[in-house]
Amino acid sequence: MRKYKEENERQLEEVVCNKCGRYLRVENGILKEGCFGADAVFGYFSKKDGIRHRFDLCEACYDAFVGDFSLPVCETEEKELC
């Protein structure tokens, strides 16, 4: 879960892993460690029509999460990082 200093500035203040509750390292509004951010809006034919879910996972919780998949995640190497 992300918290910003002020909505207008959108400067990142803190990031907490929704699974384990660990605070991830944020310095000067920049996230300084691996984090998986999810943002999903459920559409028609769902029991959650029109509901948005947002959450963040630290790298360890992400690894545990995808480790339970029946099919592995598709992995490719990126040339430029955001």
Side-chain angles (χ1 to χ4, degrees):
M1 177 178 296
R2 293 171 190 243
K3 180 179 176 187
Y4 295 89
K5 287 192 178 186
E6 293 186 26
E7 267 322 295
N8 294 339
E9 291 182 31
R10 301 293 295 173
Q11 184 177 358
L12 189 61
E13 185 173 18
E14 66 184 24
V15 180
V16 181
C17 176
N18 283 78
K19 174 121 175 65
C20 70
R22 185 171 72 80
Y23 283 78
L24 282 65
R25 192 175 57 169
V26 174
E27 294 176 7
N28 298 319
I30 299 170
L31 181 60
K32 297 282 193 156
E33 62 179 286
C35 176
F36 172 78
D39 184 353
V41 178
F42 292 88
Y44 296 116
F45 313 109
S46 164
K47 293 180 182 178
K48 298 175 184 65
D49 287 359
I51 304 295
R52 169 171 273 170
H53 284 192
R54 290 183 182 151
F55 64 90
D56 292 290
L57 297 176
C58 68
E59 199 165 352
C61 288
Y62 171 81
D63 289 342
F65 174 63
V66 300
D68 288 337
F69 285 5
S70 295
L71 300 171
V73 296
C74 178
E75 217 174 82
T76 57
E77 188 172 336
E78 296 291 319
K79 303 286 185 211
E80 293 184 28
L81 301 178
C82 305

